[in-house]
Amino acid sequence: MKRTTYAMYAAAALAGTTVLAACGTETVGTRTKDVSTIADTSWVPQKVTVDGKDYVLPEKGARRKAHITFEPGAAEPDVGGGKSGGSVGCNSIGADVDIQGDTVKVSDLAMTLIGCGGAVGTFEEKFVGVFDNDLKAELEGPSGARTLTLTSPQNDTITLREKKPPALKGTRWSLGENAYLTLTKNNTVTGSLGCNTFNGRATVKDGTIEFGRLATTRMMCSGPVMKTERELAEILSGKASYLQELDTLKITGASGKSVTAHAE
């Protein structure tokens, strides 16, 4: 029996994707009902159509935060929320998902209870109402620019766009509150350690970033902020390894300490 749970749900459980074996293919041009590959990527909701009316995902903050991933797997008895889901700009959403041919079965949906007003709240309400269903799925477009359409038994639809991983260079990567870095194509890096800004050399090669000596400003901030600055400066020193997964970037310094950054 389908069950929707409106309860606190850990956003951390939403991470991860799984490759699923294909269950059958029907292709017309660039349109296909083989949706086995949707678990390989992150999807950005574009619009929800209910009773013929379109609700478009609001711009700015909601669009930057919005993402949906699909991780099929067995549901845990009496546990609301699974590893599939994400956010449409406000609350975190989790659900169990089973993909069978061209059908995406969403069940045991759970979400956090942040009060979301305005257009974001309306969009989220419509999205959840359609998403918590046995949905017919269809993919259209070339790899890297695909559109996923999910259709409910009531013929309401959700339209999602494939989210391209951000480029390593040129993207502003958030390292925490007021801290960030941007790698450039000219083998330099600029950013902030949380209080002081910095710039320097940074050469990317074979899964590593070799940082030169960073030039920083000399502002004094509170003790906890300066402690964080010193820890970040240690990681961003010398040769560090990195691993990019979609819009997250994990940088591990020579000491073994690491920081996980998120694309802004």
Side-chain angles (χ1 to χ4, degrees), residues 60-214:
K60 298 182 180 178
R63 191 171 289 274
R64 287 197 302 270
K65 182 179 178 182
H67 69 284
I68 296 294
T69 58
F70 299 89
E71 185 173 349
E76 295 184 36
D78 301 320
V79 176
K83 293 184 178 180
S84 297
S87 173
V88 296
C90 184
N91 283 286
S92 294
I93 300 169
D96 292 313
V97 163
D98 182 25
I99 301 177
Q100 298 180 3
D102 65 347
T103 302
V104 177
K105 297 185 176 183
V106 180
S107 61
D108 286 347
L109 186 146
M111 61 190 294
T112 54
L113 297 175
I114 301 171
C116 310
V120 174
T122 299
F123 184 87
E124 181 176 82
E125 177 186 356
K126 300 300 181 182
F127 179 93
V128 170
V130 178
F131 190 62
D132 191 21
N133 267 302
D134 291 353
L135 304 162
K136 290 295 182 181
E138 187 172 72
L139 280 170
E140 185 173 8
S143 178
R146 296 176 297 172
T147 296
L148 172 63
T149 303
L150 302 174
T151 303
S152 74
Q154 295 76 33
N155 287 320
D156 297 325
T157 62
I158 295 174
T159 304
L160 306 101
R161 175 179 53 79
E162 185 174 12
K163 184 176 182 178
K164 294 182 180 179
L168 175 64
K169 293 184 177 182
T171 296
R172 175 165 156 151
W173 296 96
S174 173
L175 300 167
E177 187 173 0
N178 299 322
Y180 65 90
L181 68 80
T182 303
L183 298 161
T184 76
K185 294 181 180 180
N186 296 323
N187 295 325
T188 62
V189 60
T190 61
S192 169
L193 296 171
C195 175
N196 288 284
T197 58
F198 67 87
N199 65 80
R201 300 289 297 174
T203 304
V204 179
K205 185 177 181 181
D206 299 330
T208 66
I209 306 172
E210 186 161 359
F211 294 96
R213 184 178 179 84
L214 299 180

